[in-house]
Amino acid sequence: MRASQTLWNPAACADVLGGMPTQAQAVAAPANEPARVTQSFEVSADALFGFDSAKLSDTGAAALESRIMTALNKAEHVEALRVIGYTDRLGSASYNQALSERRALAVKSYLVSRGVPGEAIQAQGVGAADPVVNCPGAKSAKVVECLKPNRRVRIEVVAR
């Protein structure tokens, strides 16, 4: 399959390509060289979505197009992508987990709409895990602004 100028080797083509490993095997199982993250992009969730939302904004789509799709089109070989959604600590753990998953899936849907095969993308949400900043206090405008760096989506390019 071909997404712009980036060549993909999805699981659906394994038989045609002579038993090449599936995407899941390619990421997990070392062949000659272990799979590794070759590029990583972080995009502010506030740039992609409204606060407390998982609906991709026009500005968010433009940010993905300019940063991610441009990088993918220049890449020689991409094995897979990992899209990881994060939230801030405000809200319950279960709500934040669900929101981070919806945000990761929204980014995955956008990438699929731009020609990246869905089977090459792993989307996951991790809620408020791995905060970039710690801002004490109860929810207030000041704390919401302070926690902004924690609301993000990371896109990792996995290659051999």
Side-chain angles (χ1 to χ4, degrees):
M1 296 180 82
R2 188 171 169 99
S4 294
Q5 294 183 4
T6 303
L7 299 176
W8 296 88
N9 186 7
C13 296
D15 293 335
V16 175
L17 296 173
M20 300 267 310
T22 65
Q23 290 298 337
Q25 293 167 331
V27 172
N32 295 338
E33 181 182 326
R36 67 188 191 290
V37 175
T38 58
Q39 285 184 294
S40 182
F41 303 90
E42 279 199 4
V43 184
S44 166
D46 290 351
L48 298 173
F49 313 100
F51 179 74
D52 196 29
S53 170
K55 183 176 188 277
L56 191 62
S57 68
D58 292 341
T59 305
L64 290 174
E65 188 67 33
S66 68
R67 292 189 66 200
I68 310 307
M69 291 307 299
T70 299
L72 292 177
N73 288 334
K74 290 179 181 177
E76 276 187 42
H77 179 76
V78 175
E79 191 83 26
L81 297 175
R82 285 188 210 124
V83 178
I84 307 163
Y86 296 86
T87 64
D88 60 29
R89 65 173 171 78
L90 303 174
S92 71
S94 62
Y95 180 81
N96 285 337
Q97 179 63 36
L99 178 60
S100 66
E101 289 171 5
R102 289 194 317 271
R103 286 178 170 173
L105 289 172
V107 171
K108 177 180 178 176
S109 293
Y110 175 80
L111 295 172
V112 168
S113 78
R114 298 294 294 133
V116 179
E119 62 270 11
I121 305 170
Q122 174 192 9
Q124 71 182 80
V126 294
D130 302 323
V132 175
V133 296
N134 291 308
C135 307
K139 184 176 180 180
S140 67
K142 182 179 177 182
V143 171
V144 168
E145 181 63 26
C146 178
L147 292 170
K148 190 175 186 176
N150 295 344
R151 299 186 296 270
R152 65 200 189 278
V153 174
R154 176 186 294 265
I155 300 162
E156 298 175 340
V157 179
V158 179
R160 288 206 185 277

